[in-house]
Amino acid sequence: MEPNEIASRMIAILTVALAEDPDGEVFDEQLTDLLRGMHNIRLDLPADAHPATVVQAAMAEVTPSFTATVGTLFAAYVHLAHAHDQTQPERSAQDILQDFALHFSIE
């Protein structure tokens, strides 16, 4: 899958997350549908390939799509954080992110 297709799917996932309860069954189903097929690994290796060769080939195959996925999430966060900070200067995105980190450190 091309990076722009991955970006489109990731934006769709974020949109679904805003519209649905991220802990709900509907979200899980939609997330599964959107993720299906994004990270297909197709390896053409001999049956007796060394395990290290298989791992290297798999990593080479999946790294571009994984990088595109993570990059899209970071770009979306930065875009939303800048938009938030322009309209809500009393509580910065950095403050919200720190609260979020504290939430996970307490659990």
Side-chain angles (χ1 to χ4, degrees):
M1 184 171 287
E2 294 297 317
N4 62 336
E5 293 172 293
I6 291 171
S8 293
R9 283 196 184 200
M10 293 310 301
I11 292 166
I13 290 168
L14 292 171
T15 303
V16 168
L18 288 173
E20 297 290 338
D21 174 12
D23 296 323
E25 190 175 311
V26 172
F27 178 72
D28 287 345
E29 291 170 6
Q30 291 181 338
L31 180 63
T32 299
D33 287 344
L34 288 167
L35 288 173
R36 187 172 286 123
M38 281 180 59
H39 304 288
N40 289 336
I41 298 176
R42 293 181 185 96
L43 302 178
D44 186 19
L45 298 170
D48 62 347
H50 188 275
T53 303
V54 175
V55 169
Q56 288 174 339
M59 289 301 295
E61 184 73 21
V62 76
T63 296
S65 64
F66 181 76
T67 301
T69 299
V70 172
T72 300
L73 290 172
F74 285 141
Y77 169 76
V78 169
H79 184 79
L80 290 168
H82 286 304
H84 172 272
D85 288 350
Q86 290 175 354
T87 60
Q88 303 291 325
E90 67 278 355
R91 184 134 197 259
S92 73
Q94 184 68 33
D95 295 336
I96 294 168
L97 190 58
Q98 288 173 350
D99 289 347
F100 191 56
L102 285 173
H103 170 76
F104 284 103
S105 68
I106 293 171
E107 288 184 355

